[in-house]
Amino acid sequence: MTNPSARIYIDVNRTISDISPLVFSGFAEHMGRCIYQGIYEPSSPHADANGFRADVLAALRELNFRMIRYPGGNFLSGYNWLDGVGPKDQRPRRRELAWQSIETNQFGTNEFMQFCKLIDTKPMLGVNLGTGDISAAASLVEYANAPTGTKYADLRASHGYKDPYGVEYWCLGNEMDGPWQIGHLEAREYGLKAREAAKMMKWHDPSIKLALCGSSSTHMPTYPEWDRSVLEHCYDAVDYLSLHYYAQNHENDSTSFLASAAQFESQIDTLAGTLRYVKAKLRSKHDVTLSWDEWNVWYKDHLMSGNWSEAPHLIEEVYNQEDALVVAQWLNVFLRKADVLKIACLAQIVNVIAPILTTTDGMLRQSIFYPFMFFSRYATGQSLDVLTQSPRTETKKYGDMPLLDTSASYDPATGNSAIFIVNRSQTETIAADIVWQSEAPQQVKAIYQLAHPDVKAANTYEHPDTIAPVTLPGMVVDGGKVTVALPPLSFTVVTA
Ligand code: AHR
């Protein structure tokens, strides 16, 4: 019996858009063990002189996050940033209401800025628009970005940081559409508050870029009306509209789950349409693009109360092979929608729904680590409009779907290209011809593959390489074509 076959056509002139490097960003929240015992753990044998986990920093560097969003999440909406700066022994211990945990404030804005430097990434700071007022939001911009000579800039200098940080990217609150949010607001109330906060923040530093809270999920009854409404209040004052989504497989319907790209794509399409509608309605010349600033698979672990403990184990999702393939598809969608999606933050980066898990003396790379690493490393330059002819399958949730999900990048500056392919089939190896319709390379440099026959297989501390990529040798491109075998349930990266 021969394998089913497919054709993937690549044309380096058929471009979608430049790929914004910021789509390979992450999110770190004061939740569970993301910050404490994740990034920062002075008592760990792996801690450096400042308490940062050196092993975790090294793994984060492999992921090459271009930006990290911080400090929350739901945590943000009850956070007073002043609690987290200044001498550590004077910072308050607080009852943290979003996750019912104890917040020691031993890690705050300046430690975060140090962390960003250590992993060579940009910061994206959130301002609290739940319990916080617009004045505290503006003061944080002054603390972070103003030259010394005024109250909050001088406060920063007195804490040991004379030079302004120049933080460019800012979030105007978090998930303000959600009734669970501390200080949740109706769309109109949030729109008005966000607009006033934006005004003051930009007066402090006109160079900053602002992300407005869009809907926290497509499941919200207010989606996408919330987005239209808040945009109408703030369109010209902001630069990005945020969207969030967490993929789930509660029904254990892997065929549908493995076709989740359909959901991701339609969410972007709806919001891109909303952006265009509001721009036209307001006769604006300004462009707002999308920031998918929380995305990941999350449905297995819903422990969300810390029961008033420090660094509790909250939502430490264990990721398997099907989750890795959903993450890979999500990244495919980011490339396919590169014209409108300019920021995306994997939620989160350590321990809490994360690619990396830690114990005090150990660390584990989960299955989802690898697709993110490959995209972040190889998807540079421009996104290409790939034409894929593939066998198809029927899914309960999304109807008829192709078995292959693809994207590709080409970097005119280096001549490097990469093709990213998910084989959704749970049973079939697919023989895929990759056909270059222009500027075929002489050879494929290397092929990386992440495959496992069991959708539920996952890495454990005992077996950390159950899900790990293999490197296949390069091959000569013959007549503008190569044929690659794509095993069932696999993610393949072809680099040229
Ligand atoms: O990432 C976990 C939580 O999910 C975030 O705090 C919140 O923004 C979202 O609902």
Side-chain angles (χ1 to χ4, degrees):
M1 216 178 79
T2 52
N3 289 327
S5 61
R7 298 206 119 200
I8 298 171
Y9 294 96
I10 304 291
D11 181 345
V12 297
N13 299 311
R14 201 164 58 223
T15 54
I16 296 171
S17 175
D18 285 349
I19 299 166
S20 163
L22 299 180
V23 297
F24 306 118
S25 297
F27 166 48
E29 175 168 12
H30 283 248
M31 175 181 184
R33 300 191 311 124
C34 179
I35 303 293
Y36 306 109
Q37 296 181 18
I39 290 166
Y40 179 80
E41 192 177 23
S43 61
S44 162
H46 297 290
D48 68 12
N50 294 312
F52 293 105
R53 284 280 300 251
D55 54 343
V56 172
L57 298 188
L60 292 172
R61 277 187 211 107
E62 284 175 52
L63 293 175
N64 191 13
F65 286 112
R66 306 311 203 283
M67 184 160 78
I68 303 288
R69 174 174 177 254
Y70 169 88
N74 297 345
F75 169 84
L76 174 66
S77 299
Y79 184 51
N80 179 354
W81 65 267
L82 283 164
D83 287 347
V85 293
K88 286 191 175 177
D89 59 358
Q90 290 169 29
R91 298 186 194 172
R93 271 173 73 81
R94 283 205 193 272
R95 281 163 76 93
E96 196 287 297
L97 294 179
W99 308 116
Q100 295 165 17
S101 306
I102 296 299
E103 174 55 53
T104 62
N105 283 305
Q106 294 305 290
F107 190 102
T109 305
N110 294 306
E111 287 76 27
F112 174 66
M113 298 305 298
Q114 263 176 282
F115 162 73
C116 288
K117 214 167 170 190
L118 288 168
I119 65 162
D120 190 21
T121 195
K122 284 178 199 290
M124 180 185 217
L125 288 180
V127 296
N128 171 357
L129 293 187
T131 59
D133 61 19
I134 59 175
S135 162
S139 303
L140 180 56
V141 178
E142 181 188 337
Y143 184 88
N145 287 4
T148 51
T150 55
K151 177 170 170 170
Y152 290 106
D154 287 349
L155 185 65
R156 180 191 69 235
S158 77
H159 294 155
Y161 308 95
K162 185 166 181 300
D163 293 335
Y165 291 117
V167 177
E168 198 180 350
Y169 294 90
W170 295 80
C171 299
L172 292 163
N174 176 69
E175 294 191 349
M176 294 302 291
D177 61 327
W180 59 85
Q181 199 66 214
I182 298 172
H184 155 70
L185 298 170
E186 296 302 317
R188 181 170 182 279
E189 299 166 325
Y190 170 68
L192 295 175
K193 186 170 180 180
R195 189 174 69 197
E196 294 311 300
K199 203 162 81 183
M200 289 178 74
M201 291 166 74
K202 284 199 173 177
W203 279 341
H204 271 301
D205 183 351
S207 73
I208 62 175
K209 305 257 185 288
L210 298 176
L212 184 69
C213 288
S215 290
S216 52
S217 169
T218 55
H219 301 302
M220 296 300 290
T222 46
Y223 170 82
E225 176 56 16
W226 166 279
D227 304 82
R228 181 204 61 74
S229 171
V230 298
L231 277 170
E232 286 194 13
H233 286 104
C234 298
Y235 192 85
D236 283 317
V238 301
D239 305 282
Y240 302 92
L241 175 73
S242 82
L243 59 154
H244 290 181
Y245 192 79
Y246 290 101
Q248 305 171 352
N249 187 13
H250 282 300
E251 305 83 9
N252 198 20
D253 170 6
S254 293
T255 308
S256 293
F257 185 54
L258 285 165
S260 293
Q263 149 70 34
F264 312 148
E265 209 137 24
S266 103
Q267 191 171 348
I268 292 188
D269 284 345
T270 300
L271 293 172
T274 309
L275 290 173
R276 284 197 294 273
Y277 170 81
V278 175
K279 178 175 177 174
K281 182 171 177 188
L282 300 180
R283 312 292 189 257
S284 175
K285 299 257 177 291
H286 176 65
D287 280 316
V288 175
T289 54
L290 295 177
S291 169
W292 203 322
D293 55 33
E294 284 185 35
W295 68 273
N296 204 344
V297 174
W298 170 23
Y299 69 99
K300 301 178 204 97
D301 185 340
H302 270 278
L303 185 61
M304 291 199 269
S305 167
N307 207 12
W308 308 117
S309 62
E310 285 179 30
H313 287 249
L314 301 183
I315 58 168
E316 300 202 359
E317 187 96 351
V318 171
Y319 289 109
N320 57 32
Q321 177 67 5
E322 63 180 0
D323 299 333
L325 298 182
V326 168
V327 162
Q329 285 173 58
W330 222 316
L331 291 154
N332 272 341
V333 170
F334 292 170
L335 261 56
R336 299 203 289 264
K337 299 292 176 186
D339 56 334
V340 66
L341 185 82
K342 300 298 178 184
I343 297 176
C345 306
L346 177 67
Q348 300 188 8
I349 58 172
V350 189
N351 285 328
V352 176
I353 43 171
I356 296 167
L357 289 175
T358 65
T359 59
T360 296
D361 57 1
M363 201 195 73
L364 181 69
R365 287 171 183 76
Q366 299 222 64
S367 63
I368 63 168
F369 185 96
Y370 299 106
F372 192 95
M373 180 186 81
F374 284 119
F375 272 93
S376 181
R377 191 175 290 171
Y378 292 111
T380 62
Q382 298 171 336
S383 166
L384 302 181
D385 185 5
V386 181
L387 173 63
T388 304
Q389 292 170 343
S390 141
R392 303 182 74 86
T393 188
E394 192 55 31
T395 69
K396 236 193 233 165
K397 265 194 185 162
Y398 308 110
D400 176 52
M401 291 288 290
L403 280 177
L404 297 188
D405 188 76
T406 59
S407 70
S409 63
Y410 172 68
D411 194 338
T414 59
N416 293 337
S417 61
I419 302 155
F420 305 91
I421 314 161
V422 173
N423 180 3
R424 296 178 164 124
S425 171
Q426 295 179 51
T427 50
E428 307 283 349
T429 293
I430 295 180
D433 286 345
I434 300 179
V435 182
W436 277 269
Q437 297 174 301
S438 65
E439 293 181 44
Q442 307 245 297
Q443 58 175 30
V444 157
K445 288 184 201 142
I447 299 175
Y448 306 97
Q449 213 157 54
L450 191 73
H452 200 288
D454 178 1
V455 277
K456 305 296 180 191
N459 292 341
T460 61
Y461 284 99
E462 295 71 40
H463 301 286
D465 293 324
T466 303
I467 311 285
V470 293
T471 304
L472 307 174
M475 41 174 103
V476 172
V477 176
D478 190 8
K481 187 187 101 174
V482 293
T483 304
V484 181
L486 309 170
L489 295 171
S490 64
F491 169 55
T492 301
V493 185
V494 177
T495 61

